[in-house]
Amino acid sequence: MEKIVILTGAGLSAESGLGTFRDEGGLWAQHRIEDVATPEGFQRNPRLVMDFYNARREQAAQAQLNAAHKALARLQKEFPGEVIIVTQNVDGLHEKAGSAVIHMHGALDGALCAACDHRWQAPLRMAPGDACPKCNAPAARPDIVWFGEIPYHMEEIAAHLAGCTLFVAIGTSGQVYPAAGFVQEALMHGAQTVEINLNATDVSGAFQTHLIGPASQEVTRWVENLLN
Ligand code: APR
């Protein structure tokens, strides 16, 4: 039975109006990673970090699905084999399209208690010192995996990569590990590999097939070919 593992990155949501990180003028051109996406940055200036994620949460809440999100949800419904979507994105658009998805970097709509590890649905706006609804400690933080922290669901993802017949990376620059190394794990287990991106990436050499173009077009075409 065919098993497809799909890794998605910020490029999948670019056409939904959500900025990517490393493209021209991207998020990391506007903010320093060490200030807004590290535990040290949060310790130093929690207000700056909370406001960074508040802005992204509000943007994501208003973002519209694009054809690529819809095509992947259709693939999950109609493909006769298993389709696992692992996303580095935190914008919630896969779920809005009806996909089941593994969030390896957390999600904007999630809140986490730094004191007791309790998780709950994040309010649209969070502030430093927000109390945990379970232990009441003023220790709420975005449930986002920051640089220097361990991505979520890594064992489950490794098992999927070991058993997949096809690995597809969509809209990711292949610059952040462990996600950038998934293609090597899939290759080691004999999978076919496809990269869908606007242009070449740091890991393009590891892929057997490259579909170059905007995700809304290339993913839709790729899914149609697979299903027909
Ligand atoms: N269609 C397809 N690909 C696109 C499109 C598009 N419309 N627009 C941009 N891209 C591609 C770019 O060419 C690039 O390869 O999407 C990729 C975006 O790369 P990044 O901005 O680095 O985003 P991503 O790979 O998801 O970053 C990985 O880094 O900062 C951390 O945690 C953050 O999850 C993020 C991780």
Side-chain angles (χ1 to χ4, degrees), residues 34-52 128 146:
E34 50 275 29
D35 290 343
V36 295
T38 61
E40 297 77 17
F42 186 60
Q43 283 299 331
R44 225 179 8 256
N45 187 342
R47 163 70 61 202
L48 176 74
V49 175
M50 287 299 203
D51 285 348
F52 175 67
W146 284 328

Side-chain angles (χ1 to χ4, degrees), residues 36-190:
V36 295
T38 61
E40 297 77 17
F42 186 60
Q43 283 299 331
R44 225 179 8 256
N45 187 342
R47 163 70 61 202
L48 176 74
V49 175
M50 287 299 203
D51 285 348
F52 175 67
Y53 288 99
N54 288 341
R56 291 182 63 198
R57 195 174 294 110
E58 293 188 50
Q59 230 198 353
Q62 278 136 33
Q64 301 297 316
L65 299 177
N66 69 57
H69 297 108
K70 292 174 188 163
L72 292 180
R74 180 182 165 220
L75 183 69
Q76 262 188 332
K77 274 194 204 77
E78 298 178 18
F79 187 68
E82 206 181 349
V83 179
I84 304 290
I85 299 176
V86 178
T87 190
Q88 302 171 90
N89 298 342
V90 294
D91 56 36
L93 291 178
H94 277 305
E95 296 90 322
K96 261 189 199 163
S99 284
V101 65
I102 298 172
H103 274 283
M104 63 179 290
H105 288 167
L108 286 169
D109 66 359
L112 167 65
C113 176
C116 76
D117 253 5
H118 177 57
R119 284 179 166 79
W120 68 97
Q121 175 89 17
L124 200 55
R125 298 188 62 76
M126 294 180 76
D130 280 351
C132 166
K134 186 172 175 207
C135 77
N136 232 1
R141 57 166 277 185
D143 190 13
I144 297 280
V145 178
W146 284 328
F147 284 89
E149 297 183 324
I150 313 285
Y152 294 153
H153 310 298
M154 288 307 294
E155 274 180 36
E156 183 188 355
I157 295 168
H160 286 313
L161 291 170
C164 75
T165 52
L166 175 60
F167 176 76
V168 186
I170 304 172
T172 181
S173 62
Q175 294 184 39
V176 176
Y177 286 80
F182 288 174
V183 60
Q184 292 299 349
E185 284 184 56
L187 278 171
M188 240 166 28
H189 291 94

